[in-house]
Amino acid sequence: NLTEHNGGTIPPTTRLHMAALGDTIGTATMRVPIVEGLGVIHQWASLVKTFAGLEGVSVHEVEVPVWTIDGLGLDDLTAIKIDAEGNEIEVLNGALRTIERCRPIVSCECEEHHREGVTWYIPGFMRALSYDAWFWYQERFWPAAALDRRTMQVASPGGMPESDPYIQTFLFIPRESDDLRYRLAQFGPFWPPG
């Protein structure tokens, strides 16, 4: 029961929407980079980044509708995956009521080269909602406090990861979800234990 879409397949329970997510409903300018020799890089499109000063990069701008997760009126949301190229803070602010009501697990990309301070701000934002922050490294889950930004988030001038490891995705688990932590521990232990 899969539906064809742009050469791929999606399950019938999935609906695609041509909209960006943010903290207010409206419209915004999305910038899509065009890299010399590579062409359009859709996955780098951003509402926040300008791509100014990057050699060999031009930008196509398009006005897009912006929705909020709260505006979707979801009552049974179990997971949120956010990779918004620097706009993650706005997506989370626009999901605050839904997160408080549904208590989903949240996977969120946080990269200092997209937006300075984000690896501090987002874990703090989620901690205020009684979530614990983790990242995956060396076959185990580490608390976000163990992130060494000087060695684990060194991006190349072109924006591609350079450090090894390059930690960019964080997992936020509601503190009351001991069962979820137990199930995730089957993939690798949490460190420190507890």
Side-chain angles (χ1 to χ4, degrees):
N1 287 347
L2 297 177
T3 304
E4 292 290 324
H5 180 77
N6 284 346
T9 55
I10 59 170
T13 54
T14 302
R15 288 182 284 159
L16 301 178
H17 300 280
M18 298 297 284
L21 292 173
D23 57 0
T24 57
I25 296 170
T27 61
T29 301
M30 179 169 284
R31 293 168 197 87
V32 184
I34 305 165
V35 179
E36 189 177 295
L38 297 175
V40 176
I41 310 293
H42 292 101
Q43 62 268 32
W44 290 356
S46 177
L47 298 180
V48 175
K49 297 188 301 185
T50 65
F51 303 98
L54 292 179
E55 190 174 320
V57 178
S58 60
V59 174
H60 173 71
E61 293 185 347
V62 59
E63 288 296 307
V64 296
V66 178
W67 297 357
T68 66
I69 290 176
D70 286 342
L72 299 174
L74 303 170
D75 289 321
D76 60 352
L77 186 65
T78 58
I80 300 174
K81 166 74 170 91
I82 305 171
D83 178 355
E85 298 299 301
N87 200 50
E88 291 81 8
I89 293 169
E90 286 76 8
V91 173
L92 285 167
N93 280 321
L96 181 59
R97 290 190 323 254
T98 304
I99 292 170
E100 290 176 329
R101 182 175 60 254
C102 298
R103 308 299 288 162
I105 187 171
V106 178
S107 171
C108 186
E109 184 176 278
C110 303
E111 294 186 73
E112 291 287 326
H113 82 272
H114 287 329
R115 197 164 191 179
E116 190 174 344
V118 74
T119 58
W120 298 100
Y121 180 88
I122 290 179
F125 177 93
M126 296 301 290
R127 187 171 38 256
L129 296 173
S130 295
Y131 275 73
D132 292 323
W134 305 90
F135 64 87
W136 180 257
Y137 173 57
Q138 294 181 331
E139 304 301 315
R140 69 176 63 237
F141 291 100
W142 294 81
L147 180 72
D148 183 345
R149 289 156 185 83
R150 291 173 296 121
T151 62
M152 297 171 135
Q153 277 233 340
V154 180
S156 70
M160 294 301 293
E162 186 173 87
S163 62
D164 183 17
Y166 187 83
I167 306 298
Q168 64 193 28
T169 303
F170 295 82
L171 185 66
F172 299 95
I173 302 173
R175 289 197 190 121
E176 70 274 12
S177 295
D178 290 333
D179 61 323
L180 177 58
R181 189 179 299 192
Y182 174 77
R183 286 181 288 160
L184 287 170
Q186 295 176 35
F187 297 99
F190 283 84
W191 189 263

